[in-house]
Amino acid sequence: TEVADLLAAAKDADPQSDTQPDDNPYLLMADLGSLMETALAVHCDADSIAAAVAAIEADIAPRAAALHPHNETAAFNQELTAIWEVRHLIALASAMLRTSEARHESRGSLCRSDFPERDDERFLAHSMTDAAGRISWQPVRIEDMPPQARSY
């Protein structure tokens, strides 16, 4: 299990080794947050999304995989919990990036500079993704108010 693997890594780690990264889960969470802020917040496009996917795959995810708790205690181990959190946040960020890339429109908080208009015909749907990263769409059921573009 994941707990056993992380605790085994803690037992096998050499605390004096200079090959251990200086990373910690809190630093990775901050780096991931900055990356997502740059890639998807306010405005994005295919290039910013692709750069974020590449950064997660090449840098953030490997750093998270290398993390291990410095204590093999399972109960009340906050470092173990933080490692799980950052690994799950990476999975969530990857799902958000991939579904945002597949949605070629601007809608709500997704404002794509390369697709500035909304496309109700193709994307009036919930973005869904599975564990393998396949994207699907679930129709939105609207009963009271028909969809329309925002006009301010």
Side-chain angles (χ1 to χ4, degrees):
T1 67
E2 190 177 357
V3 173
D5 292 344
L6 280 171
L7 294 177
K11 183 181 259 185
D12 296 339
D14 177 5
Q16 302 302 318
S17 172
D18 58 7
T19 61
Q20 296 293 325
D22 292 333
D23 274 334
N24 65 66
Y26 306 104
L27 176 61
L28 276 173
M29 283 184 218
D31 290 350
L32 181 62
S34 295
L35 178 68
M36 293 301 287
E37 181 79 22
T38 302
L40 284 181
V42 186
H43 296 281
C44 65
D45 58 25
D47 292 338
S48 70
I49 294 169
V53 169
I56 287 174
E57 291 173 354
D59 180 44
I60 304 283
R63 288 168 54 201
L67 292 175
H68 62 83
H70 293 84
N71 181 324
E72 39 181 296
T73 304
F76 305 109
N77 189 334
Q78 292 179 342
E79 185 179 27
L80 180 65
T81 302
I83 291 169
W84 283 340
E85 286 176 355
V86 74
R87 288 179 180 174
H88 289 120
L89 285 171
I90 290 168
L92 177 61
S94 295
M96 289 175 59
L97 288 163
R98 293 192 191 284
T99 56
S100 295
E101 170 54 33
R103 188 175 278 276
H104 296 166
E105 68 162 358
S106 290
R107 176 183 302 274
S109 63
L110 178 65
C111 183
R112 292 198 50 167
S113 58
D114 49 353
F115 296 101
E117 301 298 319
R118 61 187 277 157
D119 183 351
D120 287 341
E121 188 173 315
R122 291 179 53 209
F123 297 111
L124 185 57
H126 299 289
S127 305
M128 309 296 284
T129 185
D130 63 14
R134 291 182 298 258
I135 297 167
S136 61
W137 308 96
Q138 181 179 19
V140 173
R141 210 173 106 195
I142 300 173
E143 296 179 10
D144 295 332
M145 295 186 66
Q148 61 186 20
R150 293 181 185 176
S151 58
Y152 298 102

mmCIF file of all heavy atoms in Angstrom, residues 6-37:
data_model
loop_
_atom_site.group_PDB
_atom_site.id
_atom_site.type_symbol
_atom_site.label_atom_id
_atom_site.label_comp_id
_atom_site.label_asym_id
_atom_site.label_seq_id
_atom_site.Cartn_x
_atom_site.Cartn_y
_atom_site.Cartn_z
ATOM 1 N N LEU A 6 5.651 4.402 1.666
ATOM 2 C CA LEU A 6 6.243 5.635 2.195
ATOM 3 C C LEU A 6 7.000 5.384 3.488
ATOM 4 O O LEU A 6 8.082 5.926 3.706
ATOM 5 C CB LEU A 6 5.171 6.697 2.412
ATOM 6 C CG LEU A 6 4.744 7.455 1.166
ATOM 7 C CD1 LEU A 6 3.528 8.314 1.452
ATOM 8 C CD2 LEU A 6 5.862 8.295 0.627
ATOM 9 N N LEU A 7 6.445 4.563 4.357
ATOM 10 C CA LEU A 7 7.117 4.266 5.620
ATOM 11 C C LEU A 7 8.376 3.430 5.397
ATOM 12 O O LEU A 7 9.376 3.621 6.090
ATOM 13 C CB LEU A 7 6.161 3.577 6.586
ATOM 14 C CG LEU A 7 4.994 4.460 7.061
ATOM 15 C CD1 LEU A 7 4.060 3.673 7.950
ATOM 16 C CD2 LEU A 7 5.494 5.712 7.768
ATOM 17 N N ALA A 8 8.347 2.541 4.408
ATOM 18 C CA ALA A 8 9.543 1.769 4.070
ATOM 19 C C ALA A 8 10.635 2.693 3.540
ATOM 20 O O ALA A 8 11.814 2.520 3.854
ATOM 21 C CB ALA A 8 9.210 0.694 3.045
ATOM 22 N N ALA A 9 10.254 3.697 2.761
ATOM 23 C CA ALA A 9 11.225 4.669 2.254
ATOM 24 C C ALA A 9 11.855 5.443 3.399
ATOM 25 O O ALA A 9 13.042 5.753 3.369
ATOM 26 C CB ALA A 9 10.560 5.618 1.259
ATOM 27 N N ALA A 10 11.057 5.751 4.409
ATOM 28 C CA ALA A 10 11.598 6.460 5.576
ATOM 29 C C ALA A 10 12.604 5.592 6.304
ATOM 30 O O ALA A 10 13.647 6.072 6.752
ATOM 31 C CB ALA A 10 10.467 6.856 6.524
ATOM 32 N N LYS A 11 12.326 4.310 6.418
ATOM 33 C CA LYS A 11 13.220 3.382 7.115
ATOM 34 C C LYS A 11 14.532 3.213 6.345
ATOM 35 O O LYS A 11 15.604 3.141 6.930
ATOM 36 C CB LYS A 11 12.531 2.030 7.275
ATOM 37 C CG LYS A 11 13.346 1.028 8.055
ATOM 38 C CD LYS A 11 12.605 -0.284 8.146
ATOM 39 C CE LYS A 11 11.972 -0.376 9.498
ATOM 40 N NZ LYS A 11 11.321 -1.643 9.759
ATOM 41 N N ASP A 12 14.454 3.169 4.995
ATOM 42 C CA ASP A 12 15.628 2.925 4.167
ATOM 43 C C ASP A 12 16.446 4.178 3.870
ATOM 44 O O ASP A 12 17.573 4.070 3.400
ATOM 45 C CB ASP A 12 15.207 2.301 2.830
ATOM 46 C CG ASP A 12 14.582 0.925 3.015
ATOM 47 O OD1 ASP A 12 14.827 0.291 4.064
ATOM 48 O OD2 ASP A 12 13.826 0.497 2.110
ATOM 49 N N ALA A 13 15.893 5.340 4.130
ATOM 50 C CA ALA A 13 16.581 6.592 3.774
ATOM 51 C C ALA A 13 17.795 6.806 4.670
ATOM 52 O O ALA A 13 17.778 6.537 5.860
ATOM 53 C CB ALA A 13 15.631 7.771 3.910
ATOM 54 N N ASP A 14 18.837 7.304 4.051
ATOM 55 C CA ASP A 14 20.048 7.665 4.790
ATOM 56 C C ASP A 14 19.987 9.149 5.092
ATOM 57 O O ASP A 14 20.148 9.969 4.190
ATOM 58 C CB ASP A 14 21.274 7.332 3.948
ATOM 59 C CG ASP A 14 22.584 7.734 4.611
ATOM 60 O OD1 ASP A 14 22.555 8.197 5.780
ATOM 61 O OD2 ASP A 14 23.632 7.584 3.951
ATOM 62 N N PRO A 15 19.758 9.546 6.352
ATOM 63 C CA PRO A 15 19.610 10.975 6.657
ATOM 64 C C PRO A 15 20.880 11.770 6.401
ATOM 65 O O PRO A 15 20.845 12.973 6.252
ATOM 66 C CB PRO A 15 19.238 10.988 8.135
ATOM 67 C CG PRO A 15 19.665 9.669 8.672
ATOM 68 C CD PRO A 15 19.635 8.706 7.530
ATOM 69 N N GLN A 16 22.053 11.112 6.319
ATOM 70 C CA GLN A 16 23.311 11.816 6.078
ATOM 71 C C GLN A 16 23.637 11.929 4.588
ATOM 72 O O GLN A 16 24.593 12.584 4.222
ATOM 73 C CB GLN A 16 24.460 11.079 6.790
ATOM 74 C CG GLN A 16 24.264 10.946 8.286
ATOM 75 C CD GLN A 16 24.095 12.284 8.974
ATOM 76 O OE1 GLN A 16 24.801 13.233 8.651
ATOM 77 N NE2 GLN A 16 23.153 12.381 9.888
ATOM 78 N N SER A 17 22.854 11.278 3.761
ATOM 79 C CA SER A 17 23.143 11.258 2.327
ATOM 80 C C SER A 17 22.933 12.636 1.711
ATOM 81 O O SER A 17 21.924 13.287 1.926
ATOM 82 C CB SER A 17 22.227 10.252 1.633
ATOM 83 O OG SER A 17 22.368 10.359 0.235
ATOM 84 N N ASP A 18 23.916 13.076 0.917
ATOM 85 C CA ASP A 18 23.757 14.364 0.249
ATOM 86 C C ASP A 18 23.031 14.215 -1.082
ATOM 87 O O ASP A 18 22.865 15.173 -1.813
ATOM 88 C CB ASP A 18 25.097 15.074 0.068
ATOM 89 C CG ASP A 18 26.098 14.248 -0.716
ATOM 90 O OD1 ASP A 18 25.727 13.173 -1.233
ATOM 91 O OD2 ASP A 18 27.246 14.683 -0.802
ATOM 92 N N THR A 19 22.614 12.985 -1.426
ATOM 93 C CA THR A 19 21.847 12.793 -2.650
ATOM 94 C C THR A 19 20.359 12.988 -2.409
ATOM 95 O O THR A 19 19.582 13.024 -3.347
ATOM 96 C CB THR A 19 22.072 11.381 -3.230
ATOM 97 O OG1 THR A 19 21.637 10.414 -2.278
ATOM 98 C CG2 THR A 19 23.542 11.161 -3.563
ATOM 99 N N GLN A 20 19.938 13.106 -1.149
ATOM 100 C CA GLN A 20 18.528 13.347 -0.848
ATOM 101 C C GLN A 20 18.179 14.779 -1.248
ATOM 102 O O GLN A 20 18.922 15.710 -0.947
ATOM 103 C CB GLN A 20 18.241 13.154 0.652
ATOM 104 C CG GLN A 20 18.463 11.744 1.138
ATOM 105 C CD GLN A 20 17.466 10.777 0.552
ATOM 106 O OE1 GLN A 20 16.317 11.123 0.336
ATOM 107 N NE2 GLN A 20 17.919 9.579 0.265
ATOM 108 N N PRO A 21 17.044 14.983 -1.915
ATOM 109 C CA PRO A 21 16.677 16.354 -2.309
ATOM 110 C C PRO A 21 16.322 17.206 -1.089
ATOM 111 O O PRO A 21 15.952 16.688 -0.044
ATOM 112 C CB PRO A 21 15.446 16.137 -3.193
ATOM 113 C CG PRO A 21 14.897 14.816 -2.778
ATOM 114 C CD PRO A 21 16.058 13.990 -2.313
ATOM 115 N N ASP A 22 16.483 18.496 -1.248
ATOM 116 C CA ASP A 22 16.119 19.431 -0.186
ATOM 117 C C ASP A 22 14.637 19.728 -0.190
ATOM 118 O O ASP A 22 14.172 20.552 0.582
ATOM 119 C CB ASP A 22 16.892 20.749 -0.348
ATOM 120 C CG ASP A 22 18.374 20.572 -0.098
ATOM 121 O OD1 ASP A 22 18.735 19.656 0.665
ATOM 122 O OD2 ASP A 22 19.164 21.334 -0.675
ATOM 123 N N ASP A 23 13.913 19.090 -1.077
ATOM 124 C CA ASP A 23 12.482 19.350 -1.203
ATOM 125 C C ASP A 23 11.712 18.903 0.024
ATOM 126 O O ASP A 23 12.139 18.031 0.773
ATOM 127 C CB ASP A 23 11.916 18.606 -2.413
ATOM 128 C CG ASP A 23 12.070 19.385 -3.695
ATOM 129 O OD1 ASP A 23 12.135 20.624 -3.637
ATOM 130 O OD2 ASP A 23 12.105 18.749 -4.759
ATOM 131 N N ASN A 24 10.585 19.523 0.179
ATOM 132 C CA ASN A 24 9.616 19.086 1.172
ATOM 133 C C ASN A 24 8.243 19.300 0.540
ATOM 134 O O ASN A 24 8.107 20.025 -0.445
ATOM 135 C CB ASN A 24 9.798 19.839 2.496
ATOM 136 C CG ASN A 24 9.502 21.305 2.372
ATOM 137 O OD1 ASN A 24 8.355 21.703 2.122
ATOM 138 N ND2 ASN A 24 10.522 22.142 2.526
ATOM 139 N N PRO A 25 7.213 18.665 1.081
ATOM 140 C CA PRO A 25 5.899 18.769 0.437
ATOM 141 C C PRO A 25 5.354 20.191 0.398
ATOM 142 O O PRO A 25 4.639 20.558 -0.539
ATOM 143 C CB PRO A 25 5.016 17.847 1.272
ATOM 144 C CG PRO A 25 5.764 17.567 2.519
ATOM 145 C CD PRO A 25 7.207 17.767 2.224
ATOM 146 N N TYR A 26 5.706 21.007 1.368
ATOM 147 C CA TYR A 26 5.185 22.382 1.420
ATOM 148 C C TYR A 26 5.812 23.234 0.317
ATOM 149 O O TYR A 26 5.132 24.056 -0.305
ATOM 150 C CB TYR A 26 5.409 22.983 2.798
ATOM 151 C CG TYR A 26 4.835 22.106 3.871
ATOM 152 C CD1 TYR A 26 5.656 21.306 4.660
ATOM 153 C CD2 TYR A 26 3.453 22.020 4.061
ATOM 154 C CE1 TYR A 26 5.119 20.460 5.627
ATOM 155 C CE2 TYR A 26 2.912 21.178 5.023
ATOM 156 C CZ TYR A 26 3.753 20.407 5.803
ATOM 157 O OH TYR A 26 3.210 19.574 6.744
ATOM 158 N N LEU A 27 7.093 23.030 0.044
ATOM 159 C CA LEU A 27 7.758 23.727 -1.056
ATOM 160 C C LEU A 27 7.149 23.294 -2.390
ATOM 161 O O LEU A 27 6.885 24.129 -3.261
ATOM 162 C CB LEU A 27 9.260 23.434 -1.039
ATOM 163 C CG LEU A 27 10.081 24.005 -2.188
ATOM 164 C CD1 LEU A 27 10.003 25.525 -2.212
ATOM 165 C CD2 LEU A 27 11.524 23.541 -2.085
ATOM 166 N N LEU A 28 6.892 21.997 -2.533
ATOM 167 C CA LEU A 28 6.279 21.512 -3.765
ATOM 168 C C LEU A 28 4.874 22.064 -3.951
ATOM 169 O O LEU A 28 4.483 22.404 -5.069
ATOM 170 C CB LEU A 28 6.239 19.987 -3.771
ATOM 171 C CG LEU A 28 7.523 19.313 -4.249
ATOM 172 C CD1 LEU A 28 7.440 17.809 -4.067
ATOM 173 C CD2 LEU A 28 7.797 19.650 -5.684
ATOM 174 N N MET A 29 4.097 22.149 -2.871
ATOM 175 C CA MET A 29 2.749 22.734 -2.970
ATOM 176 C C MET A 29 2.835 24.182 -3.433
ATOM 177 O O MET A 29 2.038 24.613 -4.269
ATOM 178 C CB MET A 29 2.022 22.657 -1.627
ATOM 179 C CG MET A 29 1.482 21.294 -1.301
ATOM 180 S SD MET A 29 0.542 21.347 0.236
ATOM 181 C CE MET A 29 1.004 19.789 0.955
ATOM 182 N N ALA A 30 3.798 24.926 -2.911
ATOM 183 C CA ALA A 30 3.968 26.319 -3.323
ATOM 184 C C ALA A 30 4.379 26.407 -4.787
ATOM 185 O O ALA A 30 3.855 27.242 -5.541
ATOM 186 C CB ALA A 30 5.003 27.008 -2.432
ATOM 187 N N ASP A 31 5.311 25.556 -5.209
ATOM 188 C CA ASP A 31 5.746 25.544 -6.613
ATOM 189 C C ASP A 31 4.592 25.163 -7.539
ATOM 190 O O ASP A 31 4.412 25.764 -8.605
ATOM 191 C CB ASP A 31 6.917 24.578 -6.806
ATOM 192 C CG ASP A 31 8.201 25.070 -6.166
ATOM 193 O OD1 ASP A 31 8.254 26.241 -5.726
ATOM 194 O OD2 ASP A 31 9.156 24.263 -6.086
ATOM 195 N N LEU A 32 3.815 24.171 -7.147
ATOM 196 C CA LEU A 32 2.665 23.759 -7.946
ATOM 197 C C LEU A 32 1.631 24.880 -8.019
ATOM 198 O O LEU A 32 1.074 25.153 -9.083
ATOM 199 C CB LEU A 32 2.037 22.490 -7.368
ATOM 200 C CG LEU A 32 0.828 21.927 -8.119
ATOM 201 C CD1 LEU A 32 1.205 21.519 -9.535
ATOM 202 C CD2 LEU A 32 0.249 20.738 -7.357
ATOM 203 N N GLY A 33 1.393 25.553 -6.898
ATOM 204 C CA GLY A 33 0.448 26.671 -6.884
ATOM 205 C C GLY A 33 0.881 27.795 -7.813
ATOM 206 O O GLY A 33 0.062 28.337 -8.569
ATOM 207 N N SER A 34 2.165 28.133 -7.791
ATOM 208 C CA SER A 34 2.681 29.178 -8.691
ATOM 209 C C SER A 34 2.548 28.762 -10.149
ATOM 210 O O SER A 34 2.171 29.571 -10.999
ATOM 211 C CB SER A 34 4.152 29.458 -8.378
ATOM 212 O OG SER A 34 4.290 30.007 -7.098
ATOM 213 N N LEU A 35 2.855 27.506 -10.422
ATOM 214 C CA LEU A 35 2.739 26.998 -11.786
ATOM 215 C C LEU A 35 1.304 27.074 -12.278
ATOM 216 O O LEU A 35 1.040 27.549 -13.390
ATOM 217 C CB LEU A 35 3.241 25.547 -11.835
ATOM 218 C CG LEU A 35 3.144 24.847 -13.180
ATOM 219 C CD1 LEU A 35 4.106 25.468 -14.180
ATOM 220 C CD2 LEU A 35 3.426 23.363 -13.014
ATOM 221 N N MET A 36 0.359 26.648 -11.464
ATOM 222 C CA MET A 36 -1.050 26.663 -11.864
ATOM 223 C C MET A 36 -1.568 28.099 -11.995
ATOM 224 O O MET A 36 -2.379 28.387 -12.875
ATOM 225 C CB MET A 36 -1.893 25.856 -10.885
ATOM 226 C CG MET A 36 -1.599 24.364 -10.920
ATOM 227 S SD MET A 36 -1.874 23.607 -12.530
ATOM 228 C CE MET A 36 -3.665 23.602 -12.555
ATOM 229 N N GLU A 37 -1.099 28.982 -11.145
ATOM 230 C CA GLU A 37 -1.492 30.393 -11.230
ATOM 231 C C GLU A 37 -1.031 30.973 -12.563
ATOM 232 O O GLU A 37 -1.759 31.705 -13.227
ATOM 233 C CB GLU A 37 -0.875 31.172 -10.062
ATOM 234 C CG GLU A 37 -1.225 32.633 -10.037
ATOM 235 C CD GLU A 37 -2.607 32.917 -9.494
ATOM 236 O OE1 GLU A 37 -3.157 32.076 -8.771
ATOM 237 O OE2 GLU A 37 -3.139 33.998 -9.799
#
